[in-house]
Every structure is written in C-alpha cells, then in structure tokens.
Amino acid sequence: MEAKDANGSENLPFRLVDKQSQTVLLTAEDILGFFVAPDQTPPDLVTFTGVQHLGTGRGKTEEAELQVVDRHGDRIGAYYLGRVRAARSRTPDMNDERITEVPYDFFGFTEEFPEAGRIWKRWAGGGPVESGEWARVPADWQESWLHVVQTSWFTTGRRATRYRGGGTVVLDGSLITGRDAFYCALGEAANGPRGYFGSNLDALFDCLRTARADGTAPFDLVWREQAASRAALGADFTGAVLALLAQCGVPVRTTG
C-alpha cells in the first residue's frame, strides 16, 4: 500500500540525489540505518524502504545527498552522504513488480538522532504546523526534534536570526524539562512553531549577535515560570543563558 499524507497524496519524503548532477536516484517512504542512537553501532547498510521511483544509474555515486521533501516536492532537509553504492550482493525485494527495499553500502557518517526520521516524515506529511508540537512528543524525542528544526532551518535558506515582528518574546518556562526543550521553546518563542534560535550557547550567541546587527536589542524577553525551568535546567546553565542575554543587550523579565 502506498503511503499517503493527510490530503491523500503519495508521501515519499526521502530522496537520494546525485549532488553534482542533481539526478534523483530514488524516492522512498523511509530510510533505515541512517538515524541511529549514539550507543548504536553504525550499520554497514543504509536501506531505503517503500521505494516507488527508481531512477536509472542508481548503482553508485561519489557525491550523494539525502534530501527530505514535503508533499509538494520542496526540499525541507538535506544531508551530505558522500559515496554510496547499491549493495550488489542483495537483490531488491519486489512486491507486485514494485521495488520495496533498496540497500546501499554507505561510506559517510550516520546521524545520532534516532527519532529524526519519524519527525521528518511527520513534517513532510503536510499536517498543520501548531504551537507546542515539540512539547507533545516524548521527552526523549526532543533532541531529535531540535536537530530537525536546525537542519530544516538552514536547508531552507534561513539565517540564524529573529524573523518575527514585535519587540517582546515570551518564553513559557513551564514546558522546559531540559536543555533541548529550552532551545525548542526559545526557537518557537522567537520565530514561531518549528522556529530556530540556537541549539547550544554558542549558537544562541550567533543568533543574538545577528539579530542585533543594527546595535539595538533584538527583543525584550519575558521568561514565564522561570523558577520551574531553572529547576529543570540547573542554576549554572540558567545563569549562563541570562549572562549571555545580558551581554547581547536583551532585557529579561522573569515571572514565577
């Protein structure tokens, strides 16, 4: 059965592309063995499943790129893979004359974000973008969610800065359960749902520095339920964030 998005359209979010020629080697419903847990031994093969379009000359490429595309075919994420080669020792599985599984020898690096593939599929399916999505996934998904946010942000050509209008950013500290959650919450507060505004202190500084390029404060920050988030983040990390905001001229008002 073909995968469908919420609107009933064929959903093939993963695309293997020869980066130099931009030839599409295949499109697939899923990829196995690329998004792995940090303690997982990287597999010898990366396997595309639910393959529905297999281009000619799929055997190998020296400059492969894994692209994530939405239901309109627009690229929302990308990973440079380098050299890949079809695993010749295995024949692609067939189902009613349709190729369903294509394994590749993979010579690049895997991504240590085990839930990223599921999140990409969710984003690519075309469902509504809602506030607080990141807080409704399991807590152990939030590192992967932040990774997808950051990867998508830069793949689609956006800079590390603030895009939303208005002078006040409201950060809901009651949702913050750890550092990944903090950056997810701050990205959404600064740039809307699925927005990015740093993934570590250095990246946060880059965002703040870019946002205040004209020398003015990028925004005022209202940090609600700050005591709850301080308990989750720890005093040292919270203090480092507040010091960085002060360094960049961001007025902070805390509540709770």
Side-chain angles (χ1 to χ4, degrees):
M1 179 180 294
E2 293 183 352
K4 305 287 183 177
D5 64 18
N7 298 305
S9 301
E10 186 179 1
N11 184 19
L12 299 170
F14 298 103
R15 192 162 63 184
L16 183 65
V17 176
D18 179 88
K19 188 172 176 63
Q20 185 173 9
S21 67
Q22 288 300 298
T23 300
V24 177
L25 305 180
L26 61 79
T27 57
E29 294 170 7
D30 207 349
I31 180 172
L32 307 179
F34 182 68
F35 299 108
V36 299
D39 59 352
Q40 179 181 345
T41 301
D44 295 328
L45 297 177
V46 169
T47 301
F48 290 89
T49 64
V51 176
Q52 298 183 29
H53 302 287
L54 190 63
T56 59
R58 67 169 179 85
K60 66 179 179 179
T61 179
E62 300 295 322
E63 297 283 332
E65 182 176 70
L66 172 65
Q67 297 181 355
V68 187
V69 298
D70 63 17
R71 62 189 181 88
H72 303 293
D74 295 327
R75 194 176 66 155
I76 60 173
Y79 300 90
Y80 177 73
L81 302 185
R83 183 186 179 198
V84 298
R85 181 182 62 198
R88 299 183 185 280
S89 61
R90 294 175 57 184
T91 301
D93 291 341
M94 302 295 294
N95 180 14
D96 296 331
E97 298 184 351
R98 169 184 154 204
I99 296 173
T100 59
E101 183 176 291
V102 180
Y104 274 82
D105 288 317
F106 177 61
F107 300 92
F109 295 99
T110 53
E111 293 289 339
E112 294 183 344
F113 301 96
E115 305 303 337
R118 297 190 201 184
I119 296 167
W120 279 125
K121 289 168 69 175
R122 178 173 173 170
W123 285 31
V129 178
E130 300 175 349
S131 298
E133 289 177 289
W134 63 270
R136 293 191 288 273
V137 302
D140 59 358
W141 286 40
Q142 289 176 355
E143 183 179 19
S144 295
W145 188 280
L146 180 61
H147 163 76
V148 170
V149 167
Q150 181 178 12
T151 303
S152 180
W153 199 256
F154 291 106
T155 297
T156 53
R158 287 170 288 191
R159 298 181 302 131
T161 188
R162 183 167 188 252
Y163 290 88
R164 304 187 79 188
T168 301
V169 166
V170 179
L171 180 64
D172 185 355
S174 68
L175 300 177
I176 296 173
T177 56
R179 295 187 186 186
D180 296 324
F182 167 77
Y183 289 113
C184 288
L186 182 61
E188 180 170 279
N191 283 315
R194 303 182 184 177
Y196 172 80
F197 204 75
S199 57
N200 54 53
L201 289 174
D202 289 339
L204 174 57
F205 177 71
D206 288 341
C207 292
L208 290 166
R209 181 179 57 184
T210 305
R212 68 188 299 264
D214 61 356
T216 61
F219 49 76
D220 294 347
L221 179 67
V222 176
W223 192 334
R224 293 177 177 168
E225 302 295 335
Q226 200 252 10
S229 52
R230 177 185 286 269
L233 295 170
D236 289 345
F237 179 77
T238 303
V241 169
L242 291 172
L244 187 57
L245 292 168
Q247 178 185 345
C248 293
V250 176
V252 179
R253 180 165 61 89
T254 62
T255 65

